[in-house]
Amino acid sequence: MDSQPAPVARDDRAGEEPGQAEVEEVWPRDGQIRVVGFVPGDSTDAPAALVARIRGHDDGEVRAETVLRGGRFDARLAVRDLASVRAPAEQTWDLYLAPADRAEELRLGRHLDDIRGKKKIFTYPAQTERSVRVEPYFTIKDNLSVVCHGEAA
């Protein structure tokens, strides 16, 4: 009798992209978007940056310095920085954590809580800067992004 290897269980909670930073809290207020979270399996202390990159463009990036303490981070992006890049009437910023001790950036998302479809469940208040509405949201992959709506330049 041929024996087949046992199927390998896949942990769907880990997300679909390699290198994730887990978001625990999102606080959009007072002209900032505050993001609190941790890097799963990491307990190091190191400088890091919260990176916002315009989806589909190589030239639009905003960085906010932060630090990892025991693998945890508490970072803030200024809404005015996201609103200052005025290209189309709508643009999306994807958020990453860039620890100084790692070569790759980690996509910010929320995957370890077993709640799927956050885009339809979680909503955050928008802030307005320079006639641009700036609003964080979870994507269909439960990653964290920010959408900016404004008048075309």
Side-chain angles (χ1 to χ4, degrees):
M1 177 156 111
D2 291 323
S3 66
Q4 297 287 329
V8 176
R10 181 172 171 263
D11 184 358
D12 289 327
R13 298 176 309 155
E16 298 189 14
E17 298 178 28
Q20 295 272 343
E22 187 73 6
V23 173
E24 293 178 304
E25 300 175 30
V26 180
W27 296 95
R29 63 179 176 205
D30 302 326
Q32 298 180 342
I33 299 172
R34 179 180 173 213
V35 182
V36 178
F38 65 96
V39 178
D42 190 339
S43 61
T44 61
D45 295 339
L50 177 58
V51 180
R53 188 168 297 115
I54 297 176
R55 185 179 296 166
H57 296 279
D58 293 330
D59 57 350
E61 182 177 289
V62 172
R63 296 176 77 85
E65 299 305 313
T66 188
V67 66
L68 286 173
R69 288 192 177 91
R72 303 187 61 75
F73 63 91
D74 185 339
R76 291 166 175 78
L77 280 172
V79 169
R80 72 177 171 277
D81 294 341
L82 301 174
S84 67
V85 181
R86 299 286 300 265
E90 178 179 310
Q91 61 192 12
T92 301
W93 297 84
D94 292 326
L95 303 183
Y96 300 85
L97 183 70
D101 63 347
R102 290 183 182 232
E104 80 279 359
E105 294 177 338
L106 306 174
R107 184 69 167 98
L108 291 183
R110 190 164 183 173
H111 303 280
L112 300 179
D113 61 3
D114 292 329
I115 299 172
R116 306 280 189 278
K118 289 176 186 64
K119 183 174 180 133
K120 294 181 180 181
I121 299 170
F122 291 87
T123 58
Y124 296 100
Q127 299 178 75
T128 302
E129 178 76 30
R130 300 179 187 149
S131 301
V132 176
R133 188 170 185 249
V134 179
E135 183 176 7
Y137 74 99
F138 282 104
T139 69
I140 59 172
K141 291 184 177 180
D142 293 334
N143 292 320
L144 187 62
S145 293
V146 177
V147 66
C148 296
H149 300 278
E151 299 174 13

